[in-house]
Amino acid sequence: MSKQYLTLHTLDNAHPSDIYSIASTKTQLLSASGSSSILIHSTTESDFSLVQTLAGAHKLGIHHLVTSKEGNRAASAGFEGALKIWSVGEDGMWKEDGEISDGKKPGDAWAIALSANGEYLASSSISGCTNVWSLNVAEGMPKIKDYETKGSFGLAVALSPDGGYTASGHENGSVYIFNNDTGRLSHSVAGLVQPIRTVAFSPGSKLLAAAGDARVIALYDVKSGEQVANLTGHGGWILSLDWSDTGEYLLSGSHDSKAKVWRVETRTCVATHSHGDKPVWSAKWLPRVGARSEMFALAGGNNNISFYREAAG
Amino acid sequence: MLAVRTNVPFRDWVIARIEEMLERIVDGLLEESDQLTVTLKSRSNATRRTNPSQDLERPPSPKSKDITFPGGTVQEAWRFTVVVRVLELVHGCLVDNTVMTKRDMYYRHPDLFVKQSVVDRYVDDLACTLGVSRASLNVTAAAKGLVAGNFRIQKSDGALGILVPSISDDDILDLSCVCRVVIIEKEATFRTILQSPHWKIRSSRCILVTAKGYPDIATRHFLRYITDRSPQIPFFALVDFDPDGIAIMSTYKYGSFRLAHENVTAGGAPALNLPELNWLGVQSRQIVRSLVTKHDSYDSAITDAQGLMRLTPRDRKKARCMLEWDLCAEDGPEPAWRQSLQTMLMLNVKAEMQFFEQLPGGLSAWVEEELSVKEREK
């Protein structure tokens, strides 16, 4: 059984260069690219109009951008090595809360993830450590966890929606699952020996999806650490994974410009879309709002952001 | 430009040894020592004079000598200054992985060095002291670039590439048959292309040049001479997809900051730059396209694709530093360089031009195709 998604709208040349990361809230899409600014587009207006520009956020460009599930917080990571934290006001305008000051190794942080409530930030690093910070501004946003691994570049990181786990994916193919309550490593899974470029927890925090250069999406049971499925079909390195709100579907974006929608229950690909002829750096579901159809957004090397809507019926 | 893998730690070793020598001098200054000393070994006084106890097959043992400051004479003070300056210049070449000719080095401080042979001697003494070749100090003698193609020069000609000739204003260079100049980072690729069937067709209209990495002044001077006299001839650069590749291309196009004084003529115009230089490759879109053609096998991945590698910590640091260049600024003149450095960092991947040897027809066919695409774009 396949599903059909229609191109609803495309923001042509939304950014002047590759868009490396997009992140959504219930009403907005935030996007970041090789330029220094973060753009915020409305997802409740039919033309997805630009509603705010965070100019000059990171001078050398931005490689990662995340929002909390509750949509109150965002975090960005720049090529110059800084991690910035942002908050949204009731008027829908974002402002900077401050920067993470990691005195030991500035510039070591790479991928980032926010907890559902926006109170914690996790970061993978070039040296392989995975760190977690409290984002309590009054307390100076201190680091609260420091998970050591074997030194392979941490290309990806995720926090489980229930707050219980942190997961990281590494260049040597390792995937680690850490228990945030005990502060210890729960599982080290090494099914693939090629870079893991993206990891994502399911909405119920029961499954972890991991993917990268092997072009296979591996699904792991978070509690047992066992691999429960392999999703195959991508022709290029997989750069991005995102679960739909219900956990029924998984969205993946790859280096060969394709994005796929997978039905988790049947382990099948139900839709494939081509996003120009450049890498899809980031693929994200938009949160379900009211009676709106399931929607996702794609962004990548063609500088466009495209929105897709599930066809009715 | 990718150093041969085994050489990277070696260059670091040489850098560390020179830094030890410089640190000893700095420590001496801080401790207010009575005397600062640099110890060099030298073969420069070795002769072929027969010595009955000497094994004739072995080169003579180097002699150790101390160069001190303050010394007994003005001459010794001068010698000490020369040695420290040579150490600094060589250290700079190694850290930046640029190559300097001895002539370049002499012209940095002609008043101090007095004559070329002084530089020659102390560079060789340093190489001897460290037990390495002069090339390992990133110092060469005169031009190192190679050139081939259908041009006529009243001085000489050659087959598998000749050394870049020095051109003076009185020389005559016949470029009437030349339609393009292709600058290639690597000598191995230069030779591969010369020996390919495509070159037999292309050679009548093309000049191929390599400076074997970062360009020396003689090669840049030769190229600038061509573009000054025949501005309609397009120039293309083929460099590796890595931070050094882009830095090499920037040296051809904009010059080297370290040797910035060489760029300025009496009129203030940059005398050696190639502002119209086109980037033939390697670019990320070319890699993407080629990776997709390897779609059939799930076993292939980054470590299996020949010429595709992970960035080293040095690469990452260099890429980030280059993003800070004005050239790579958000509104700067080279957005494609900025995008490429960012993409390298995103994927933690770099690629040698040898990556395209895997395609049908190999690298030479790929170069041919890319040149055709570029020319159709005009």
Side-chain angles (χ1 to χ4, degrees):
Chain A
M1 164 210 170
S2 75
K3 282 168 83 70
Q4 221 184 336
Y5 288 86
L6 309 174
T7 307
L8 184 60
H9 189 77
T10 294
L11 299 166
D12 280 319
N13 289 309
H15 284 257
S17 63
D18 286 51
I19 301 167
Y20 293 121
S21 202
I22 55 178
S24 59
T25 71
K26 286 182 168 61
T27 57
Q28 295 173 333
L29 186 87
L30 285 68
S31 56
S33 70
S35 76
S36 62
S37 304
I38 296 169
L39 303 186
I40 295 122
H41 288 87
S42 166
T43 54
T44 59
E45 298 180 31
S46 60
D47 63 347
F48 295 87
S49 56
L50 178 67
V51 295
Q52 189 182 1
T53 300
L54 299 170
H58 295 274
K59 180 189 157 198
L60 302 188
I62 302 158
H63 52 83
H64 283 88
L65 177 69
V66 292
T67 49
S68 59
K69 197 162 190 71
E70 288 178 17
N72 57 332
R73 225 77 188 266
S76 57
F79 285 104
E80 82 284 6
L83 298 176
K84 291 192 178 183
I85 310 302
W86 311 84
S87 286
V88 67
E90 289 179 6
D91 56 353
M93 292 292 119
W94 292 85
K95 67 172 175 48
E96 189 183 333
D97 279 343
E99 261 186 55
I100 295 291
S101 55
D102 192 358
K104 298 177 182 177
K105 289 180 182 173
D108 190 38
W110 187 245
I112 52 180
L114 278 171
S115 61
N117 58 10
E119 290 179 10
Y120 301 99
L121 177 79
S123 160
S124 71
S125 66
I126 296 166
S127 61
C129 297
T130 299
N131 300 308
V132 182
W133 287 271
S134 159
L135 299 185
N136 187 317
V137 178
E139 290 175 4
M141 303 203 279
K143 185 194 291 191
I144 60 172
K145 289 283 196 303
D146 192 335
Y147 297 119
E148 293 279 343
T149 68
K150 289 179 181 171
S152 175
F153 190 160
L155 292 168
V157 73
L159 280 166
S160 63
D162 65 4
Y165 296 95
T166 301
S168 61
H170 294 256
E171 189 162 55
N172 63 359
S174 297
V175 176
Y176 298 106
I177 302 174
F178 304 97
N179 185 308
N180 292 332
D181 298 326
T182 64
R184 295 215 193 102
L185 176 68
S186 282
H187 305 295
S188 166
V189 297
L192 308 167
V193 292
Q194 288 155 21
I196 298 293
R197 297 191 181 275
T198 178
V199 291
F201 283 98
S202 63
S205 304
K206 288 179 166 38
L207 292 174
L208 178 75
D213 292 15
R215 293 171 291 155
V216 172
I217 301 167
L219 293 183
Y220 300 97
D221 180 277
V222 171
K223 193 142 298 192
S224 68
E226 288 169 12
Q227 185 172 351
V228 299
N230 258 2
L231 309 179
T232 62
H234 264 297
W237 302 341
I238 298 167
L239 304 175
S240 184
L241 287 172
D242 194 37
W243 293 77
S244 65
D245 277 352
T246 60
E248 196 176 352
Y249 296 100
L250 192 58
L251 175 67
S252 57
S254 74
H255 193 241
D256 69 347
S257 78
K258 301 291 194 295
K260 287 180 180 288
V261 180
W262 308 81
R263 183 161 182 169
V264 175
E265 185 186 339
T266 57
R267 320 303 198 207
T268 54
C269 173
V270 297
T272 300
H273 277 270
S274 204
H275 187 63
D277 62 353
K278 301 286 176 52
V280 177
W281 292 111
S282 194
K284 282 288 187 296
W285 293 102
L286 303 190
R288 216 59 196 264
V289 174
R292 188 169 72 180
S293 301
E294 197 92 78
M295 286 181 63
F296 62 84
L298 303 179
N302 63 359
N303 308 357
N304 299 344
I305 303 171
S306 290
F307 298 90
Y308 298 82
R309 168 177 73 78
E310 181 184 5
Chain B
M1 179 192 86
L2 287 177
V4 176
R5 244 157 293 192
T6 52
N7 282 354
V8 174
F10 181 69
R11 195 173 101 250
D12 290 344
W13 179 87
V14 176
I15 290 171
R17 290 291 305 276
I18 292 175
E19 283 172 354
E20 282 171 23
M21 296 173 79
L22 289 167
E23 274 163 19
R24 251 178 262 129
I25 295 168
V26 173
D27 288 346
L29 287 168
L30 292 173
E31 291 159 12
E32 296 180 346
S33 298
D34 291 344
Q35 206 171 45
L36 306 172
T37 304
V38 178
T39 304
L40 290 182
K41 297 177 182 176
S42 173
R43 290 193 173 94
S44 59
N45 287 329
T47 68
R48 295 192 170 273
R49 190 177 311 120
T50 303
N51 183 336
S53 61
Q54 183 83 38
D55 184 340
L56 292 177
E57 298 304 317
R58 277 195 282 109
S61 301
K63 287 183 173 134
S64 205
K65 63 188 178 186
D66 289 344
I67 299 174
T68 60
F69 179 84
T73 64
V74 172
Q75 188 78 355
E76 274 193 59
W78 166 79
R79 200 174 296 125
F80 184 86
T81 309
V82 166
V83 168
V84 172
R85 193 60 188 130
V86 166
L87 283 171
E88 285 178 310
L89 289 171
V90 170
H91 181 256
C93 288
L94 288 165
V95 168
D96 291 351
N97 204 19
T98 60
V99 177
M100 191 182 279
T101 66
K102 291 173 167 181
R103 199 67 179 167
D104 295 343
M105 195 168 286
Y106 166 70
Y107 277 118
R108 297 298 293 273
H109 302 288
D111 290 346
L112 170 66
F113 294 135
V114 177
K115 55 186 177 179
Q116 179 72 53
S117 59
V118 169
V119 172
D120 295 355
R121 173 182 173 169
Y122 283 108
V123 169
D124 288 336
D125 285 358
L126 178 57
C128 177
T129 301
L130 299 179
V132 302
S133 68
R134 190 195 322 116
S136 301
L137 302 179
N138 281 20
V139 180
T140 67
K144 64 183 172 79
L146 300 174
V147 62
N150 184 14
F151 65 98
R152 194 180 307 279
I153 183 170
Q154 206 134 290
K155 283 173 146 172
S156 64
D157 53 55
L160 269 194
I162 57 170
L163 279 178
V164 169
S166 60
I167 299 284
S168 67
D169 288 347
D170 298 328
D171 292 330
I172 298 166
L173 189 62
D174 179 3
L175 298 161
S176 54
C177 296
V178 177
C179 295
R180 73 191 62 77
V181 176
V182 181
I183 299 165
I184 299 175
E185 175 184 330
K186 293 165 136 161
E187 181 180 1
T189 304
F190 175 86
R191 296 190 184 284
T192 296
I193 291 176
L194 286 187
Q195 292 166 32
S196 73
H198 296 93
W199 177 249
K200 292 177 172 59
I201 300 164
R202 277 284 183 181
S203 62
S204 63
R205 296 157 49 100
C206 189
I207 288 182
L208 220 60
V209 178
T210 182
K212 307 173 187 171
Y214 282 89
D216 56 289
I217 286 173
T219 300
R220 292 178 59 212
H221 186 257
F222 176 75
L223 295 170
R224 181 63 198 213
Y225 184 98
I226 292 172
T227 197
D228 280 342
R229 275 147 192 82
S230 303
Q232 79 286 356
I233 297 180
F235 280 68
F236 299 95
L238 177 60
V239 295
D240 286 341
F241 182 71
D242 70 358
D244 279 300
I246 293 177
I248 286 165
M249 180 167 49
S250 86
T251 304
Y252 280 106
K253 190 165 184 180
Y254 294 102
S256 162
F257 295 151
R258 181 165 292 272
L259 296 174
H261 65 280
E262 298 285 352
N263 277 346
V264 181
T265 59
L272 297 182
N273 294 353
L274 302 172
E276 304 301 320
L277 182 65
N278 298 281
W279 188 9
L280 181 65
V282 179
Q283 300 190 44
S284 55
R285 58 174 172 76
Q286 294 157 339
I287 297 168
V288 174
R289 200 191 313 141
S290 297
L291 279 175
V292 169
T293 66
K294 295 165 58 74
H295 191 297
D296 41 304
S297 171
Y298 269 100
D299 292 330
S300 77
I302 180 173
T303 51
D304 296 329
Q306 175 195 323
L308 214 60
M309 279 158 287
R310 312 282 170 79
L311 294 182
T312 64
R314 174 187 170 271
D315 289 327
R316 289 195 73 87
K317 183 180 177 188
K318 191 177 180 79
R320 190 191 301 155
C321 287
M322 288 169 67
L323 283 174
E324 310 228 21
W325 290 358
D326 290 337
L327 296 176
C328 297
E330 192 166 0
D331 299 316
E334 301 293 350
W337 298 3
R338 178 181 174 94
Q339 185 268 345
S340 293
L341 292 164
Q342 288 168 340
T343 296
M344 293 173 199
L345 289 167
M346 286 299 295
L347 296 173
N348 204 43
V349 153
K350 59 185 176 180
E352 293 179 316
M353 55 188 76
Q354 278 72 20
F355 175 77
F356 299 105
E357 287 290 2
Q358 302 162 89
L359 300 178
L363 174 56
S364 301
W366 178 83
V367 169
E368 183 76 15
E369 174 61 26
E370 290 297 320
L371 280 170
S372 301
V373 168
K374 283 289 187 186
E375 274 151 14
R376 262 182 261 130
E377 281 169 12
K378 293 187 190 290

